[in-house]
């Protein structure tokens, strides 16, 4: 498993663990709250049942005092589902029903003397019960005790059902969160993965580009060291070594530029300068290469265009574009530059009559170390120039575009914001 995949799994595990902890804390607080609410609900139902029993006892007294025959006992007629009702006299002797278990009598005695009248008790058969007992007086002033008993398991059953429902929902949510979290982490880390792939390719390409001049230098030095000194041959060897050292220095310098650019460590100055003047200076600097290749460099439209930019970086950008245009234009060809102001931007257009770039290679020309097959056979280079050119354009808020047709030529367009 590669490190990035392992990191994704670790982040997903941490994400799921944190979510589980949150669910556990939330569930615990929720269960405690619901349990308390359910307990209060049971207590209220016991109190309500006791009030109904008190009302029935008062009705019983009234009917007994006013009736002239046999009457229906209101206490006997009172039935509340899942509740056991007991009516006692003031000495805690059973009235209805006529007999009460000893453990109910004991619990009633303790509940009556407690502050709130509620007690938990265990029945001899193992049931967990809840009792409420309270004193009241009938219509004739006779004191009574009303006691109501409920099975606490009805609360536990509801509580267990709630726990099972919440556990199923939490497990489903955890699976969804883990799956969604992994997909989210995978999507979020995709740019990192692409950056790592680009870094690996960059290092491999850099090593490949550096290996060639280093190998040439070592081979030349070894051959020269093994031969007798001969001025003409030694001069040719030293010239070859100088060329490879120069190429090695250029590659190293470009790599350093890109590394500092990626790290954001390259200071970019902002000075007012005229693009037409900068272009004129770049043309003069590139004229030697153009003459050597017998390529004509001409200037067309040349309007004054003031910009805010780093002079050194703008010069480097212009030289890269000009150098590429001249290198890939055969002898007798032409390179034309136009500077104008269009739509509030300074526009530089470099057109050449070179070999052109195939359509399938155009999307890749700004990639580091990329060189098309035609470019490799036409000129030397590490394929870093246009990558640097794009970075320079980006830090200046500019846009650089390339259009090309094989066998016809290439057109490079650069647009920079005008200085206010």
């Amino acid at each position: 498993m590669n490190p990035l995949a392992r990191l994704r799994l670790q982040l997903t595990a941490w994400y799921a663990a944190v979510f589980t902890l949150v669910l556990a804390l939330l569930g615990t607080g929720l269960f405690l709250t619901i349990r308390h609410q359910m307990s209060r609900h049971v207590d209220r139902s016991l109190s309500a049942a006791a009030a109904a029993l008190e009302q029935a006892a008062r009705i019983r007294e009234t009917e007994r005092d006013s009736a002239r025959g046999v009457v229906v006992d209101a206490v006997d007629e009172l039935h509340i589902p899942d509740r056991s009702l007991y009516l006692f006299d003031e000495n805690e002797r059973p009235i209805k029903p006529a007999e009460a278990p000893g453990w109910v009598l004991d619990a009633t005695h303790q509940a009556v003397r407690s502050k709130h009248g509620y007690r938990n008790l265990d029945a001899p058969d193992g049931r967990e019960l809840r009792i409420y007992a309270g004193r009241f007086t009938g219509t004739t002033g006779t004191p009574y005790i009303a006691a109501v008993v409920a099975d606490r398991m009805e609360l536990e059953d509801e509580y267990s059902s709630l726990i099972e429902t919440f556990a199923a929902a939490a497990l489903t949510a955890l699976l969804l969160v883990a799956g969604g979290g992994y997909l989210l982490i995978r999507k979020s880390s995709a740019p990192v993965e692409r950056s790592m792939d680009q870094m690996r390719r960059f290092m491999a390409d850099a090593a490949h580009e550096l290996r060639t001049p280093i190998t040439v230098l070592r081979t030349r030095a070894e051959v020269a060291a093994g031969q007798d000194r001969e001025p003409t041959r030694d001069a040719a060897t030293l010239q070859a070594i100088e060329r490879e050292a120069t190429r090695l220095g250029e590659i190293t310098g470009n790599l350093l530029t890109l590394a500092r650019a990626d790290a954001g460590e390259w200071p970019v100055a902002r000075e007012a300068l005229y693009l037409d003047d900068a272009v004129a200076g770049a043309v003069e600097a590139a004229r030697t290469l153009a003459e050597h290749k017998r390529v004509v460099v001409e200037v067309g439209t040349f309007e004054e265009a003031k910009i805010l930019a780093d002079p050194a970086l703008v010069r480097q950008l212009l030289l890269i574009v000009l150098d590429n245009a001249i290198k890939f234009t055969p002898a007798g060809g032409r390179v034309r530059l136009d500077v104008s102001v269009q739509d509030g931007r300074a526009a530089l257009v470099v057109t050449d009559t070179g070999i052109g770039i195939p359509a399938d290679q155009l999307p890749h020309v700004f990639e580091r170390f990329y060189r098309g097959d035609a470019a490799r056979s036409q000129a030397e280079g590490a394929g870093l120039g246009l990558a640097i050119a794009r970075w320079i354009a980006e830090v200046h808020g500019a846009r650089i575009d390339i259009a090309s047709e094989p066998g016809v030529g290439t057109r490079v367009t650069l647009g920079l914001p005008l200085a206010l």
Side-chain angles (χ1 to χ4, degrees):
M1 183 181 297
N2 63 64
L4 188 58
R6 185 163 57 250
L7 177 61
R8 286 171 178 162
L9 291 178
Q10 290 174 348
L11 290 175
T12 303
W14 275 105
Y15 186 61
V18 171
F19 184 77
T20 302
L21 178 60
V22 171
L23 278 181
L25 294 176
L26 178 63
T28 300
L30 181 64
F31 293 149
L32 292 176
T33 302
I34 292 176
R35 187 182 185 92
H36 178 68
Q37 293 295 331
M38 286 184 174
S39 298
R40 291 183 60 186
H41 174 72
V42 171
D43 287 349
R44 284 195 297 267
S45 70
L46 289 174
S47 178
L53 180 58
E54 293 172 10
Q55 184 65 24
R58 293 189 179 101
I59 294 173
R60 176 176 177 270
E61 273 191 348
T62 301
E63 289 178 345
R64 276 192 163 188
D65 291 342
S66 60
R68 295 178 179 272
V70 178
V71 295
V72 177
D73 193 325
V75 175
D76 288 337
E77 291 297 311
L78 180 63
H79 294 285
I80 300 177
D82 300 322
R83 299 292 182 265
S84 299
L85 308 177
Y86 297 92
L87 183 64
F88 301 95
D89 62 18
E90 62 177 332
N91 296 318
E92 300 178 7
R93 289 191 296 267
I95 297 177
K96 292 291 181 177
E99 294 183 359
W103 54 272
V104 173
L105 292 173
D106 292 338
T108 300
H109 176 76
Q110 296 175 10
V112 168
R113 283 160 178 74
S114 67
K115 184 177 180 180
H116 302 290
Y118 295 97
R119 296 284 294 180
N120 291 330
L121 65 150
D122 296 325
D125 57 2
R127 289 180 301 154
E128 297 179 354
L129 306 177
R130 179 81 167 167
I131 186 172
Y132 170 76
R135 296 181 182 275
F136 71 97
T137 57
T139 55
T140 61
T142 305
Y144 298 97
I145 297 174
V148 183
V149 179
D151 195 333
R152 280 192 294 156
M153 289 305 295
E154 69 179 56
L155 176 66
E156 298 298 329
D157 290 341
E158 293 182 16
Y159 194 63
S160 299
S161 177
L162 178 64
I163 291 177
E164 292 174 359
T165 302
F166 185 84
L171 180 60
T172 302
L174 181 61
L175 293 176
L176 291 175
V177 165
Y182 180 78
L183 293 177
L184 181 62
I185 291 170
R186 185 179 182 86
K187 185 176 181 180
S188 300
S189 62
V192 178
E193 185 174 18
R194 287 195 296 270
S195 297
M196 293 176 64
D197 290 340
Q198 291 173 356
M199 185 180 298
R200 283 193 290 266
R201 289 198 302 270
F202 180 79
M203 294 176 65
D205 291 338
H208 175 75
E209 293 294 337
L210 291 172
R211 184 171 59 244
T212 300
I214 290 174
T215 301
V216 172
L217 286 173
R218 186 178 65 248
T219 303
R220 292 277 188 176
E222 289 176 352
V223 171
Q227 294 177 335
D228 296 332
R229 301 280 67 80
E230 183 178 323
T232 303
R233 185 175 59 201
D234 290 348
T237 300
L238 290 174
Q239 289 174 357
I241 291 176
E242 181 184 9
R243 287 195 301 270
E244 293 302 325
T246 301
R247 184 187 175 201
L248 184 60
E250 291 176 353
I251 295 175
T252 305
N254 288 337
L255 289 174
L256 180 59
T257 298
L258 290 173
R260 293 181 64 186
D262 290 342
E265 297 177 354
W266 191 286
V268 180
R270 300 290 178 180
E271 299 179 12
L273 62 97
Y274 289 91
L275 181 60
D276 48 316
D277 291 342
V279 169
V283 170
E284 189 62 32
R287 199 171 295 280
T288 301
L289 176 62
E291 292 174 354
H292 176 72
K293 290 249 348 200
R294 290 180 294 158
V295 172
V296 176
V297 178
E298 60 184 22
V299 177
T301 306
F302 215 61
E303 295 182 8
E304 185 178 272
K306 187 178 181 181
I307 62 174
L308 280 177
D310 187 312
L313 290 180
V314 169
R315 177 181 172 83
Q316 185 177 6
L317 170 59
L318 296 175
L319 287 175
I320 290 172
V321 175
L322 272 174
D323 183 69
N324 277 350
I326 295 170
K327 279 182 179 179
F328 300 120
T329 298
R334 309 179 77 83
V335 174
R336 175 186 171 95
L337 294 92
D338 293 278
V339 180
S340 60
V341 177
Q342 300 176 7
D343 301 324
R345 297 175 72 86
L348 168 67
V349 179
V350 179
T351 308
D352 65 55
T353 58
I355 60 175
I357 305 171
D360 61 328
Q361 295 181 12
L362 273 177
H364 305 287
V365 293
F366 291 109
E367 295 178 3
R368 299 173 183 183
F369 293 107
Y370 182 81
R371 289 183 295 169
D373 293 336
R376 290 181 184 275
S377 61
Q378 290 288 329
E380 294 182 354
L384 295 173
L386 287 179
I388 295 175
R390 182 175 63 175
W391 166 71
I392 296 174
E394 288 176 350
V395 297
H396 286 88
R399 179 179 178 86
I400 182 170
D401 297 303
I402 295 181
S404 185
E405 183 178 347
V408 176
T410 301
R411 178 187 178 91
V412 179
T413 304
L414 178 67
L416 294 113
L418 285 172
L420 299 178

